[in-house]
Amino acid sequence: MSTRTAAPPARLEARVDLDALRSNVRRLREIAGPAQVMAVVKADAYGHGMVPCARAAVQAGAAWLGTALPEEALALRAAGLEVPILTWLHAPGDDFAALVRAGVDVSISGQWSLDAVLAAVGGTRRPARIQLKADTGLGRNGIQPREWPAVVDEAVKAERAGLVEVTGLWSHFACADEPGHPSIRRQLTSFHEALEYAEAAGLRGRLRHMANSPATLTLPESHFDLVRPGVAVYGLSPAPELGVPADFGLRPVMTLRGRLALVKQVPEAHGVSYGHTYHTTGETRLGLVPAGYADGIPRAASDRGPVWIGGRRYVIAGRVAMDQFVVDLGPAGPGEQSPAAGDEVVLFGPGEDGGPTAQDWAQAIGTIGYEVVTRIGGRVPRVYVD
């Protein structure tokens, strides 16, 4: 990702407030304490830029970093980040030897991955750092309860042989963003049972963790020794029905903004953009925003995505195209000069001035805030500010 510090560009940029991110990490540490915080920086730090955000999180006291993919973990090591890193989404054929050499903790979600790590150890001549993940009911990655004893026993045997160090035991919630959901209690019970077996087998005193962002904020009994917030690090609420970011003491980190490329007068009944899904209802001004679905602006935001121009909210008029969309600015009032080409357009940001937030976009298109920020494309420069 490119970075710039100049004024807003003519087209589009994602402004990333690293001071807000550090504030969020400090707040999450307060909420989770005495448990440590693992800042999850997968998917390019939810679209915010992995390495700058990882560094800011560590500066604010994050004790661990978490990634989904092994190449993400290795990129953090290559950038000089030496804190413990856990990576958890692997497939046969991945370079486990590189992870072992880099001292990255590898999540074990089945016997095949333990076997793959043990095979990699033979070529590195150093023990691997591993964590065992229990599937307590999410039904995705993780070791099923009926397979847990066998994998735990093999891991204990490998540790006693000096081949691995089992650093942690963990799981992941399915419905922590729905407080009171019956699966939450079932998963906690299942995790406690998994821990009891592992500790009796010889894995006592290992790092235990289960809480994602919503559990970190709303479920203290799930904090154990470590919490793994992701979207909350970036100042978004993981459970909007429970509160906006400010209710949790969080500050949104990303502001997506650009400038109007063109403003022009058009007559009544003028079609706008592909398919003419929008027609003007009277003589009006159309503003062209040079951003589209190639930049991560959802096509589903056609005729509904909110934007902020000149202190007023507008809605996208017509379909979002690959590189651009249009806003109906309304007719000009007496002596009115604004908006005009070059004026700033904010698609989403903190919302403190009444402008739209990532959650507003999520509600408009029927998705979640996670997707809104994560999908912002690579051709949009990230501008890092403090």
Side-chain angles (χ1 to χ4, degrees), residues 285-296:
R285 298 164 300 168
L286 298 180
L288 182 68
V289 181
Y293 57 76
D295 303 294

Side-chain angles (χ1 to χ4, degrees), residues 1 38 41 63-65 111 124 132 139 162 195 197 223 231-232 265 356:
M1 299 293 183
M38 174 190 291
V41 294
W64 284 72
L65 297 172
Q111 186 63 50
T124 62
L132 306 183
L195 292 175
Y197 184 90
H223 290 174
V231 76
Q265 196 86 6

Side-chain angles (χ1 to χ4, degrees), residues 9-316:
R11 201 181 74 82
L12 189 68
E13 71 178 17
R15 181 181 183 272
V16 179
D17 185 346
L18 296 178
D19 184 60
L21 187 146
R22 285 189 286 265
S23 173
N24 294 337
V25 171
R26 288 192 291 268
R27 175 60 182 149
L28 292 164
R29 289 177 60 204
E30 290 175 359
I31 293 170
Q36 296 179 318
V37 169
M38 174 190 291
V40 178
V41 294
K42 65 178 181 175
D44 199 30
Y46 290 55
H48 293 68
M50 183 175 70
V51 171
C53 289
R55 286 178 176 149
V58 171
Q59 290 165 1
W64 284 72
L65 297 172
T67 74
L69 306 182
E71 54 265 34
E72 295 170 331
L74 293 173
L76 291 172
R77 281 286 187 257
L81 285 148
E82 298 300 328
V83 297
I85 299 171
L86 174 66
T87 178
W88 52 76
L89 190 59
H90 313 112
D94 282 348
D95 190 352
F96 290 99
L99 295 171
V100 174
R101 286 192 295 268
V104 171
D105 286 46
V106 179
S107 178
I108 302 300
S109 293
Q111 186 63 50
W112 80 264
S113 55
L114 179 58
D115 292 342
V117 169
L118 292 175
V121 167
T124 62
R125 297 184 179 180
R126 61 180 294 178
R129 291 171 58 95
I130 65 172
Q131 298 198 20
L132 306 183
K133 183 180 182 183
D135 181 359
T136 56
L138 178 58
R140 298 190 319 194
N141 225 355
I143 304 164
Q144 277 281 298
R146 65 179 180 274
E147 299 167 350
W148 180 256
V151 177
V152 167
D153 292 348
E154 287 297 315
V156 169
K157 185 188 303 183
E159 184 172 72
R160 289 172 177 166
L163 301 175
V164 303
E165 177 188 358
V166 182
T167 61
L169 307 163
W170 71 293
S171 189
H172 195 63
F173 283 109
C175 303
D177 55 350
E178 302 177 46
H181 194 284
S183 68
I184 295 174
R185 190 57 49 196
R186 291 196 298 267
Q187 283 196 259
L188 276 169
T189 299
S190 180
F191 189 49
H192 278 290
E193 291 170 351
L195 292 175
E196 288 173 8
Y197 184 90
E199 290 170 354
L203 298 181
R204 189 173 299 278
R206 313 309 161 101
L207 200 65
R208 305 163 303 162
H209 51 105
M210 191 174 187
N212 53 6
S213 286
T216 299
L217 296 173
T218 67
L219 200 65
E221 61 266 42
S222 72
H223 290 174
F224 294 98
D225 305 309
L226 174 77
V227 297
R228 302 187 313 273
V231 76
V233 169
Y234 310 100
L236 301 185
S237 172
E241 65 278 7
L242 296 181
V244 298
D247 294 329
F248 300 110
L250 303 175
R251 295 161 51 192
V253 172
M254 181 188 289
T255 298
L256 186 64
R257 64 183 185 173
R259 290 186 181 272
L260 287 171
L262 173 71
V263 175
K264 63 183 179 183
Q265 196 86 6
V266 298
E268 182 181 357
H270 200 297
V272 177
S273 196
Y274 291 128
H276 281 182
T277 61
Y278 181 88
H279 289 81
T280 60
T281 57
E283 186 171 311
T284 190
R285 298 164 300 168
L286 298 180
L288 182 68
V289 181
Y293 57 76
D295 303 294
I297 311 304
R299 194 169 182 268
S302 301
D303 291 310
R304 62 188 66 185
V307 296
W308 185 255
I309 305 171
R312 288 184 56 189
R313 274 204 189 209
Y314 298 91
V315 175
I316 292 174

